[in-house]
Amino acid sequence: PPSGGPPSGPPGSPPSGGPPSGPPESPPSEEEEEEEAMAKITKMPIKEDEGPTVEVPTSIASFVNPEEIENLRNEVERLRSGLASAGEVISEIEEVPSPPIVGPDYVVAAHIVSDFIRTGRLLHREKLVRAAQGSISLLDPDEPGLVHASKSGCMLGRILEGDIITGRLGQPAPENAPDDWRIHEVMLAFASLQYEGPAACIYAPSSHAIALSLDKKLIKMEPFDEIGKSNFGKAVIVDPNYDNMEDFLRQITDAMRQGNGKAACIRGVGVYAVGRNFDEAWNNCAILEHSSEIMLLARNSGIKK
C-alpha cells in the first residue's frame, strides 16, 4: 500500500493544496463601470420647437401704399429732369453762342466773344475772380496788334458782348479800358513773342497767391506740390509801382523772363497769367493759385521745403 495516508479529496479532483487551474478574475475598473452605466441609459430624441410659421410676402404691393410708390416715381422723374437741366446749364457755360461785334474799323468774331463769356464764367465759378474784380485780354488771331479786353468794372461772371472793348498795341487805351490796360499790353506782347503769335492774358486777384505775396521776404513762389513744380518751377513776385509805370512794366517783363514765362505775381494785387489762348492762361493761373494754397497750408503747419 502506498505510504503517506489516504488522499485528501475524492478521486479525480485536484489536490486541495495545489495551484489554481487558471488566472483569477479581476474586478471591473471604474471606466468599464461608467461605460456599462451609460449603455443602459435610454436616450430620448429631443424635438426642437419650430415656433410660429411666418408668411413672407412675395410682392412689395402687399405692404407698401400705392400712393407712396407713385410719389417715389414722381420724385425720380423730378431728379432726372434736374440733372438734365444741370447738363444744359453746363453746356451753356462751355459753349456760349454770341453774335459778333462790329466796330468802326474792326470785327470781333462770334467765337472770340463766346470765349470771353465762357472764360469769365469759368474764372468766377473757380473763385479766381469775384464781382467786378479781375480782367482778361486777347490778341486778335486774324489781325495783328488788335487787342480785345474786358472793360473797366466788368463783372466777369456775367460778361456779355457789350462788356468787351477793343484797342491796338502801342496806342492810347480805348474808352472804358481796364485800369491795368498797360500791363495787359506788356503781357500780351511778351506772350506773343514767346508763343510766336497768339496770346491771351488773365489778371486774377486770387486770394491765396495774394496772401502768400504779402510776405515781404518772399521774392518768388516755388511750389511744393509736384503739379506746381512741373508746370512752373517758380513765379517771381513784383512790388507794385504805379507812380513810375515804365519802370514797373519793365520789372514785370523781367519777372516773366526770370520766372517760368507763364505767370507773375504783383505783391498784394494778384496774378497775371498768359497763354496761347484763354484756356492756357486760365490753367496757368489756376495751378499757381492751387500751389499758393498748398504753400500757405504747409507754412501754417510748420513744414519747410
Side-chain angles (χ1 to χ4, degrees), residues 47 63 66 119 240 287 289 300:
K47 186 177 181 181
F63 59 91
T119 302
I287 291 177
E289 169 64 7
N300 293 337

Side-chain angles (χ1 to χ4, degrees), residues 92-165:
E92 289 177 0
I93 291 176
E94 297 294 337
E95 298 179 3
V96 185
S98 302
I101 300 173
V102 180
D105 57 349
Y106 63 85
V107 175
V108 185
H111 67 89
I112 294 178
V113 177
S114 297
D115 282 346
F116 267 85
I117 296 174
R118 177 180 58 85
T119 302
R121 293 179 181 179
L122 289 173
L123 290 171
H124 184 267
R125 188 179 69 183
E126 296 294 325
K127 297 183 179 179
L128 292 171
V129 300
R130 290 176 172 82
Q133 299 174 338
S135 55
I136 57 179
S137 63
L138 179 75
L139 274 182
D140 193 286
D142 300 320
E143 187 173 346
L146 194 65
V147 178
H148 310 298
S150 56
K151 73 177 185 180
S152 177
C154 168
M155 293 186 179
L156 291 179
R158 302 176 63 182
I159 187 173
L160 296 173
E161 58 270 14
D163 298 316
I164 301 172
I165 55 97

Side-chain angles (χ1 to χ4, degrees), residues 32-216:
E32 292 176 346
E33 290 179 354
E34 290 180 1
E35 291 178 359
E36 185 178 355
M38 292 297 293
K40 294 179 180 179
I41 297 175
T42 303
K43 296 182 179 180
M44 299 296 293
I46 300 174
K47 186 177 181 181
E48 296 182 358
D49 185 9
E50 297 180 354
T53 302
V54 179
E55 294 184 1
V56 179
T58 58
S59 174
I60 192 173
S62 60
F63 59 91
V64 175
N65 191 332
E67 293 182 359
E68 294 181 357
I69 296 177
E70 187 63 26
N71 291 337
L72 288 174
R73 287 175 180 167
N74 294 335
E75 183 68 15
V76 169
E77 289 299 324
R78 187 185 67 80
L79 292 174
R80 285 177 179 171
S81 300
L83 289 174
S85 300
E88 292 175 0
V89 171
I90 293 173
S91 297
E92 289 177 0
I93 291 176
E94 297 294 337
E95 298 179 3
V96 185
S98 302
I101 300 173
V102 180
D105 57 349
Y106 63 85
V107 175
V108 185
H111 67 89
I112 294 178
V113 177
S114 297
D115 282 346
F116 267 85
I117 296 174
R118 177 180 58 85
T119 302
R121 293 179 181 179
L122 289 173
L123 290 171
H124 184 267
R125 188 179 69 183
E126 296 294 325
K127 297 183 179 179
L128 292 171
V129 300
R130 290 176 172 82
Q133 299 174 338
S135 55
I136 57 179
S137 63
L138 179 75
L139 274 182
D140 193 286
D142 300 320
E143 187 173 346
L146 194 65
V147 178
H148 310 298
S150 56
K151 73 177 185 180
S152 177
C154 168
M155 293 186 179
L156 291 179
R158 302 176 63 182
I159 187 173
L160 296 173
E161 58 270 14
D163 298 316
I164 301 172
I165 55 97
T166 299
R168 296 186 182 276
L169 288 176
Q171 295 186 8
E175 186 180 359
N176 295 324
D179 297 335
D180 55 354
W181 172 266
R182 295 286 307 280
I183 299 177
H184 277 277
E185 278 189 311
V186 169
M187 297 295 282
L188 288 173
F190 178 90
S192 181
L193 291 174
Q194 179 171 260
Y195 300 122
E196 299 180 352
C201 178
I202 291 175
Y203 160 58
S206 45
S207 55
H208 294 98
I210 290 177
L212 193 64
S213 71
L214 294 177
D215 183 356
K216 295 291 185 180

Side-chain angles (χ1 to χ4, degrees), residues 210-254:
I210 290 177
L212 193 64
S213 71
L214 294 177
D215 183 356
K216 295 291 185 180
K217 298 179 182 178
L218 198 66
I219 60 174
K220 59 184 177 180
M221 296 177 175
E222 294 183 285
F224 293 176
D225 60 300
E226 293 301 323
I227 295 177
K229 288 179 182 178
S230 61
N231 280 272
F232 279 94
K234 66 178 179 180
V236 178
I237 301 174
V238 180
D239 290 313
N241 185 11
Y242 296 103
D243 294 333
N244 189 349
M245 198 65 182
E246 296 301 325
D247 184 63
F248 183 34
L249 295 174
R250 180 186 57 79
Q251 291 182 37
I252 294 175
T253 305
D254 290 342

